[in-house]
Amino acid sequence: MMKILILGGTSEASALASAVAKRGLPAIFSYAGRVATPKPQPLPTRIGGFGGVSGLAAFVAQERITHIVDATHPFAAQMSTNVLAAAAQCGVKAIALTRPAWRPVDGDQWQSVANIDEAVSALAGPPQRVLLAIGRMHLAAFATQPQHHYVLRLVDRPTSPLPLPDVSSVIDRGPFTLEGDLALLENQRIQRIVCKNSGGDGAASKLTAARMLGLPIVMIERPALPPRHEVHCIDDVFNWLDSPS
């Protein structure tokens, strides 16, 4: 009997969960637990890590999972790598529901970098007001460029001091709008943006807003992953679920 494990945290994962629930398919939705109040899902939901490949494999075996859909954030490289290893270990099928990466268009001023360290190095120079749109995991790395005022957009209000010497935060949850992002960049007097190439529509409005205002972007490109089966739409996930092979 089919039983699906959806590894979520993205809007695509939530949309898939709704579609799976409407079909009445047995499934479990899993959050990593990065935010304090995750979006409710119409499926049985667990929150928290698995404890590496062995923990994920044990969960898959215990719950008799037959199909894993990795719909995590494009930068959740360790989780995505663990999915492939655990699926192979348990002999179950796995697929990734991903967003196509963003590509620059005419008028964009992107500086593409490979990782957080390169993004930090790209900020060498005179003080600026920088929108740091990278979540909160790697904020401390930017303390080595302390001359800037950093503006953070966070889902949850910080409960402890942020690891940057000159910082302010805006609490908001996507999807974001062009009107809202234009207002954010103008009101905060942003001069440069640092963001991850997450892809999708939910956070793309800041790219358009930056283009309209002539602002440069330091774009952190996605980490490399082992080869895997990727699709970009929910219909393709269902075609895969329905496939006998």
Side-chain angles (χ1 to χ4, degrees), residues 9-23:
T10 61
S11 57
E12 292 80 9
S14 295
L16 177 62
S18 295
V20 166
K22 286 180 181 178
R23 282 200 179 196

